[in-house]
Amino acid sequence: MEQLEQYFNHHQYSSRFGSAMVYALASAVALNFFWTPGHIYSSGFTGLAQLLNTLILRLIGVQVPVGIWLILLNLPLFILAYRKIGKRFAFFTGVAILLAAMAMNWIKQPTHLWTDDPLAMAIFGGAVNGFGTGFALRNGLSTGGLDIIGILIRRKTGAKMGAVNLTFNFFILVASGIMFGIQYALFTAIGLVVNARVIDLVYTRQQKMQVMIVTEEPEKVIAEIQGGLRRGITIVHHAEGGYNHHKKEILFTVISMYEQFELHEAIYRVDPTAWASLWRIDRIFGGFYEPKL
C-alpha cells in the first residue's frame, strides 16, 4: 500500500510539472508570437505585467521584461495561496510562474510574423493562452495572479473562472485603448473573451453536472460512488421499470464534468445494467466537496 501511494504521489508530481511546462510554453508563445507584436494585452497579471512594461518604457525608456514583472506581481498572491489554499498548491504555483517567466524570456518574437492582422493575433493568442491556463488548472495548478483570486472566489460563490477573469480584466481593456487606441481595445476584448472561453472549455473541474441513476443495486452503486468520488447522493425509492417491471431505485447526485468518466466506470463496476443521464447545471447551493489542489 505504501509503495502504491508513493507511485501515485510521484505520478501526480510528474503530471503537475508537465502541466506547468505546457502552461509556460503556451503563455510565452501567446505573448511573443501574438500579443506583443499585435499590441494586444493578455488577461490577468500577465496583462498587468505587459501594461507596466509599456508604461515604464514610455516614461523612462527602460524595458523591464514581462517575465520579471510577472514574478514581482505574483509574490503577494503566492503568500496568499500558501496560507489559504495549501503548501503544495503554492509550490506548484511558484513553479508555473517561474517557468512561464523563463519561457517568456527565452522564446523570442519571430523575425517574420505569421500574420500582421491584430484580430487574428487576438484570437489565436487568447486561444493558445486559454488552453495553457485551462490545462494547468485542470491538473491542479494555478498560473498565479487572478487565477488564485478566482479559485478563492469560486469556492465562496461558485462563479466560473472565465467570468471572474473577465470581471477583473476590464481595466486592462481600458488601458489598451489608452495606450494604442480604441481599435486595439476592441481587439484586446476579443482576446480576453476567447481566452476565458477556452479556459472554461479545458478546465472542466468547475463545471457541474447533475446525474440521475436508475439501478437495481442502489447500495453497491452508492458505496462505489461515495468511496471513490465522495459525492452525496439522494435516493428516490420504489421506482419500477416500464418494460420488465423490476423494482428499482433512482439516485441523484452532482459531479464535476471532470469526473464523468470516473463516475461511469464506478457505476459499471457494480451494476452494468444501470441507466444514467447527465445534464449541465449553472450553479449549486449547499455543500459540494472540492478536492484539495
Side-chain angles (χ1 to χ4, degrees):
M1 182 64 70
E2 184 177 347
Q3 290 180 343
L4 185 63
E5 185 177 353
Q6 289 177 352
Y7 168 78
F8 281 114
N9 285 336
H10 175 74
H11 177 75
Q12 185 181 55
Y13 274 73
S14 299
S15 175
R16 292 192 176 188
F17 271 113
S19 300
M21 293 181 66
V22 170
Y23 163 69
L25 291 174
S27 61
V29 169
L31 178 71
N32 294 326
F33 284 43
F34 298 106
W35 283 330
T36 298
H39 303 304
I40 310 296
Y41 281 110
S42 171
S43 64
F45 276 31
T46 302
L48 182 58
Q50 288 178 269
L51 176 61
L52 291 172
N53 176 54
T54 303
L55 283 173
I56 296 300
L57 183 61
R58 290 189 178 185
L59 290 175
I60 60 177
V62 176
Q63 184 167 2
V64 180
V66 173
I68 299 298
W69 282 117
L70 192 63
I71 293 174
L72 294 176
L73 292 170
N74 274 285
L75 280 176
L77 289 176
F78 175 81
I79 297 173
L80 181 65
Y82 181 85
R83 293 179 176 176
K84 298 293 185 180
I85 300 177
K87 297 178 181 178
R88 183 172 57 179
F89 177 84
F91 170 74
F92 283 108
T93 296
V95 170
I97 294 170
L98 182 61
L99 288 177
M102 294 168 63
M104 289 174 185
N105 184 56
W106 289 343
I107 299 177
K108 302 298 184 180
Q109 181 176 319
T111 305
H112 301 287
L113 297 178
W114 294 350
T115 177
D116 57 0
D117 182 359
L119 177 59
M121 291 180 174
I123 293 173
F124 282 97
V128 171
N129 188 77
F131 171 79
T133 302
F135 186 81
L137 291 169
R138 178 170 178 164
N139 287 280
L141 287 178
S142 164
T143 57
L146 294 182
D147 293 330
I148 296 174
I149 298 173
I151 288 171
L152 294 174
I153 291 176
R154 180 172 56 83
R155 286 185 174 182
K156 295 291 185 180
T157 67
K160 290 184 178 181
M161 292 296 296
V164 172
N165 279 335
L166 283 176
T167 301
F168 280 94
N169 285 316
F170 178 75
F171 84 97
I172 292 179
L173 176 64
V174 175
S176 66
I178 295 173
M179 291 293 180
F180 301 110
I182 188 63
Q183 62 175 338
Y184 289 98
L186 298 177
F187 295 140
T188 295
I190 293 172
L192 293 178
V193 171
V194 171
N195 182 71
R197 179 57 179 163
V198 174
I199 287 174
D200 281 336
L201 287 174
V202 177
Y203 177 48
T204 56
R205 190 184 298 273
Q206 89 284 15
Q207 298 177 21
K208 306 298 188 296
M209 304 189 75
Q210 183 163 308
V211 185
M212 181 180 72
I213 306 166
V214 181
T215 176
E216 296 181 21
E217 302 286 349
E219 297 302 326
K220 292 181 180 179
V221 173
I222 290 171
E224 191 72 16
I225 293 175
Q226 290 183 335
L229 300 180
R230 298 183 64 179
R231 295 300 175 203
I233 297 173
T234 299
I235 307 173
V236 179
H237 294 289
H238 309 306
E240 181 180 336
Y243 177 72
N244 53 24
H245 300 284
H246 289 179
K247 300 302 180 183
K248 303 176 185 290
E249 308 288 346
I250 300 176
L251 311 178
F252 285 96
T253 188
V254 175
I255 63 172
S256 68
M257 189 179 295
Y258 189 68
E259 297 168 323
Q260 59 181 312
F261 302 107
E262 189 176 352
L263 174 76
H264 179 270
E265 292 177 356
I267 296 172
Y268 187 80
R269 278 195 296 268
V270 294
D271 186 6
T273 64
W275 181 89
S277 63
L278 300 84
W279 59 96
R280 294 185 186 184
I281 54 178
D282 290 330
R283 182 165 297 188
I284 60 173
F285 300 93
F288 185 81
Y289 170 72
E290 291 278 6
K292 289 185 177 181
L293 297 173

